[in-house]
Amino acid sequence: MKTASRKGRRPAFGGAGRAGHYARLALALLIGAAFVFPFYWTVVISLGKPGEFSNFPPALWPHWQWSNWSRAWNAAPWVRLFANTVLIASGTVLLCLVTSLLAGFAFGVLRFPGRKALTLLVLSVLMMPGTVLIIPDYVLANDLHLLNTYWIQIIPWGASVFGIFLVRQFFLAIPQEILDAAALDGASRLRVLRSIGMPMVRPALLIIAVNVFLGSWNSFLWPVIMTSSTMDSSNTVQPVEVGLSIFSSAEGTDFPGLAAAVTFTTLPVMVFFLVLQRQFIRGALSAAGGVRG
Amino acid sequence: MLATVLGVTATTTARPLAVPGRPARRRNQARDFRTTRWGWAYSAPAVLIFATFVIVPTGYTFYVSLWKWNALNPAMSTFKGVGNYQRLFAATQPTFLSSVWHSLYFSGAMVIGGTAVSLAMALLLQRGGVLLNASRVALFVPHATPVIATSMIWVWIFNPRFGLADWVLHSLHLPTSDWLQSSGSSMPAVIIYSLWHEVGFTTVVFLGGLATLPNELSEAARVDGCSAWQEFWYITWHQLRPVTTFVVAITAITSLQAFTQFYALSGGGPVYATTTLSYLVYQEAFVLSDTGYGAALAVVLFAVTVLFTLVRRRTAAGSESSLV
């Protein structure tokens, strides 16, 4: 019981002494490296010589053949596809922030008849998954002539149960007198929400924004189905992930080119993640926090 | 304006009863501010979106599932009643029952493997310094990348002639595998990819849970002479039960819905070995254009999801957040 005097829980692995500490560190770094290795390998292949990818053992160092990149870059309207993704993701984030803020305020602060029922209704949305909805929503989008538009890729995802309840949770946690005092001063509800509420729930809004943005960037089945009949590639409304999938089925045997396309389409999300990783991790943590709340 | 409001706030919160005036009126005014039918208007934008694209369409799926649906001209659809549901048990390839089995196989492996791996990783990475935090970020990165993009890379990692996966096995003098190209190993390959993509998220969830645990029990256990394993088994993991329930539920539900990795890695094959219920819904409704039958499959998928959600709700009361 060497560690009995140490404060707190002991680490489950190698709790005993320095050697254990270094063993734990080495194991953690090894696993971390294994998790990011596929990304490194993708970059190596994208910069490799033609035909090199089919060597065994596989190449592990880049040869700086940028021609793969230019070949892949010229094969599809990537700028347009990127712009589509950014437009769709930003639109979805904006809409989600507004709907989450308003509904979270209503559920967390306001009292009105039917609030409980409405809360349950919103919660029930969690049970209705995308794969089930894709058929009726396709029929609906067809009837509304919304197929192959930006709208059908933004509006249906413009409300988030996670977002609403995160904002509600934040509103429940702030001192209630603050809002009441503002109302007492004669501020309207909208004014209270905008001037007092919004600054206080800003961390929640940031978490929602990064998660919704990433969710929108990652969505695949929905845009594939909803924009399937896009013909003209110069006016396409498809996001970059769908473009990547089309590129892959057309040029599937050109692995260095595909690796290059994967690299330059994924790099922006990676940078986005690395810059905002605190918010992502807080988002995951607040998902855990919801369990206990 | 904001400054004055906050100034007032400071005094009211510090000495709410000492403020002169009419407390009763003040309370009423505050209640009026909260009690309002405008609450409906504030919730309306979110509720309208959910109603239009989620709640009503779910009901509509039931309706479509009763028809031989004509996707090009719904007016030409013919009513089949429970015909689509009877077909579920007819012997067509790939069979409905095999797809249910594949869904359960995938979800079961993801739940057991994902929970075990992420709990172990959380214990390994908890309360660490800079390097352990770097590992945590490394674990989370795959989760932040699009499934379609990384699946394409993993197709090549799993390549039996020159892929990384077999190279690793080869280097370790282990028998190599055909991975995605054989019906026996394709599902394990998809599971390995999915674990790589998902465990970063669930690890962070477990880390969040670990951070909230009080230390007293662990200390008492240690004083009483518990081994590290006993301490984990009887104290830490026991206290983590709500978090574990959440991880199990969220993994089960996302695994049941998983589509993109099956689309990109295995295309449901070989010989339908990775055709899950979710994949079959897509296949029937959008590739084979049998919308009615696809809807019937979707209804079954919905029922299974509801079952999972209700189990979760019973076991983890008050859990209301989820993945977006």
Side-chain angles (χ1 to χ4, degrees), chain A residues 287-292, chain B residues 110-120 122-123 201-210 212-213 232-233 235-253 308 311-312 315-316 319:
Chain A
V291 182
R292 333 198 100 225
Chain B
M110 286 301 292
V111 164
I112 296 168
T115 309
V117 170
S118 49
L119 181 58
L123 291 169
F201 176 78
T202 42
T203 299
V204 170
V205 172
F206 270 123
L207 281 168
L210 281 171
T212 61
L213 298 188
F232 163 73
W233 187 255
I235 312 286
T236 311
W237 199 43
H238 188 77
Q239 287 175 288
L240 276 179
R241 263 174 59 186
V243 182
T244 311
T245 312
F246 172 76
V247 167
V248 165
I250 206 77
T251 309
I253 291 169
F308 270 100
V311 169
R312 170 191 161 198
T315 45
S319 62

Side-chain angles (χ1 to χ4, degrees), chain A residues 8-10 24 28 35 57 102 109 111-113 129 131 136-137 162 168 176 180 184 189 241 255 285 291, chain B residues 26 33-34 36 40 42 53 57 61 124 126-127 148 156 167 196 208 210 218 222 231 242 257 320 322:
Chain A
R9 278 185 317 281
R10 68 192 141 193
R24 177 185 171 208
F35 268 78
L102 290 174
V109 175
R111 309 266 173 279
F112 51 95
T131 327
D137 278 347
F162 166 75
R168 173 177 168 269
Q176 299 301 301
D180 290 341
L184 216 54
R189 270 174 217 100
E241 297 307 323
F255 187 40
L285 291 179
V291 182
Chain B
R26 301 185 70 109
F33 154 70
R34 283 164 185 280
T36 170
W40 282 90
Y42 282 83
F53 293 102
T61 309
L124 179 67
Q126 68 172 330
R127 294 184 306 151
I148 187 72
W156 292 82
W167 175 69
W196 174 78
L210 281 171
S218 303
R222 225 166 302 159
E231 182 193 327
Q257 308 308 323
E320 46 206 14
S322 167

Side-chain angles (χ1 to χ4, degrees), chain A residues 138-151:
Chain A
Y138 179 82
V139 174
L140 179 73
N142 195 14
D143 286 349
L144 297 175
H145 301 287
L146 284 175
L147 291 179
N148 305 306
T149 62
Y150 292 119
W151 300 115

Side-chain angles (χ1 to χ4, degrees), chain A residues 1 6 8-13 24-25 28-29 31-32 35-39 41-42 53-58 60 99 102-103 105-106 109-113 118 121-123 125-129 131-140 155-156 158-162 164-165 168-169 176-178 180-185 189-192 195-196 211 214 217-218 220-221 225 241 244-245 248 252 255 258 262 266 269-270 273-274 277 280-281 284-288 290-292, chain B residues 1-2 5 8-9 12-13 26 29-30 32-40 42-43 45-47 49-50 52-55 57-58 60-61 69 120-121 123-127 131-132 135-142 144-146 148-150 152-154 156-157 161-164 167 196 199 201 204-205 208 210 212-213 215 218-219 222 226-228 231 236 239 242-243 246 257 259-260 263 278 281-282 285-286 291 294-295 298 301-302 305-306 309 317-322 324:
Chain A
M1 296 308 300
R6 279 178 53 193
R9 278 185 317 281
R10 68 192 141 193
F13 298 96
R24 177 185 171 208
L25 210 58
L29 287 177
I31 295 172
F35 268 78
V36 291
F37 193 76
F39 297 114
W41 192 61
T42 309
F53 64 88
S54 56
N55 289 352
F56 193 91
L60 296 177
T99 55
L102 290 174
F105 180 70
V109 175
L110 303 180
R111 309 266 173 279
F112 51 95
L118 219 52
L121 190 76
V122 168
L123 271 178
V125 166
L126 287 179
M127 294 194 286
M128 302 165 189
T131 327
V132 174
L133 299 172
I134 195 93
I135 294 172
D137 278 347
Y138 179 82
V139 174
L140 179 73
I155 295 170
S160 149
V161 181
F162 166 75
I164 292 169
F165 282 92
R168 173 177 168 269
Q169 222 74 317
Q176 299 301 301
E177 295 85 357
I178 295 181
D180 290 341
L184 216 54
D185 255 22
R189 270 174 217 100
L190 217 51
R191 172 92 201 187
V192 171
S195 303
I196 319 283
N211 281 291
L214 197 72
W217 192 299
N218 289 353
F220 179 69
L221 177 60
I225 299 293
E241 297 307 323
L244 186 63
S245 167
S248 157
F255 187 40
L258 182 61
V262 168
T266 308
V269 217
M270 294 263 261
F273 163 72
L274 289 173
Q277 47 123 334
F280 282 108
I281 291 184
L285 291 179
S286 61
V291 182
R292 333 198 100 225
Chain B
M1 173 62 194
L2 186 58
V5 169
V8 169
T9 305
T12 39
T13 44
R26 301 185 70 109
Q29 227 170 326
D32 290 345
F33 154 70
R34 283 164 185 280
T35 311
T36 170
R37 281 173 196 282
W38 279 102
W40 282 90
Y42 282 83
S43 358
V47 170
I49 289 175
F50 286 140
T52 313
F53 293 102
V54 181
I55 297 166
T58 302
Y60 197 56
T61 309
W69 193 263
M121 290 313 298
L123 291 169
L124 179 67
L125 298 176
Q126 68 172 330
R127 294 184 306 151
L131 287 176
L132 289 185
S135 299
R136 187 179 70 170
V137 172
L139 233 67
F140 203 93
V141 171
T145 55
I148 187 72
T150 42
M152 287 173 189
I153 296 306
W154 278 79
W156 292 82
I157 290 180
R161 281 196 299 125
F162 42 80
L164 267 185
W167 175 69
W196 174 78
V199 293
F201 176 78
V204 170
V205 172
L210 281 171
T212 61
L213 298 188
N215 284 325
S218 303
E219 273 170 36
R222 225 166 302 159
C226 275
S227 70
E231 182 193 327
T236 311
Q239 287 175 288
V243 182
F246 172 76
Q257 308 308 323
F259 169 81
T260 310
Y263 176 89
S278 288
V281 170
Y282 159 80
F286 293 102
T291 315
L301 183 60
F302 174 59
T305 313
V306 169
T309 319
S319 62
E320 46 206 14
S321 39
S322 167
V324 178

Side-chain angles (χ1 to χ4, degrees), chain B residues 56-182:
Chain B
V56 173
T58 302
Y60 197 56
T61 309
F62 284 94
Y63 177 76
V64 172
S65 74
L66 301 176
W67 294 75
K68 170 133 192 72
W69 193 263
N70 187 325
L72 294 175
N73 185 0
M76 300 281 286
S77 304
T78 49
F79 188 73
K80 279 178 84 175
V82 294
N84 284 321
Y85 292 92
Q86 281 167 344
R87 221 191 105 189
L88 294 175
F89 299 98
T92 45
Q93 274 295 336
T95 63
F96 161 71
L97 287 176
S98 77
S99 76
V100 170
W101 158 241
H102 295 144
S103 284
L104 293 179
Y105 178 5
F106 178 72
S107 306
M110 286 301 292
V111 164
I112 296 168
T115 309
V117 170
S118 49
L119 181 58
M121 290 313 298
L123 291 169
L124 179 67
L125 298 176
Q126 68 172 330
R127 294 184 306 151
V130 177
L131 287 176
L132 289 185
N133 275 344
S135 299
R136 187 179 70 170
V137 172
L139 233 67
F140 203 93
V141 171
H143 183 70
T145 55
V147 172
I148 187 72
T150 42
S151 292
M152 287 173 189
I153 296 306
W154 278 79
V155 168
W156 292 82
I157 290 180
F158 284 133
N159 187 298
R161 281 196 299 125
F162 42 80
L164 267 185
D166 271 348
W167 175 69
V168 170
L169 290 180
H170 191 258
S171 311
L172 297 171
H173 302 287
L174 292 170
T176 55
S177 167
D178 282 339
W179 300 113
L180 297 164
Q181 302 189 5
S182 124

Side-chain angles (χ1 to χ4, degrees), chain B residues 288-301:
Chain B
L288 305 174
S289 295
D290 194 343
T291 315
Y293 185 55
L297 290 164
V299 168
V300 176
L301 183 60

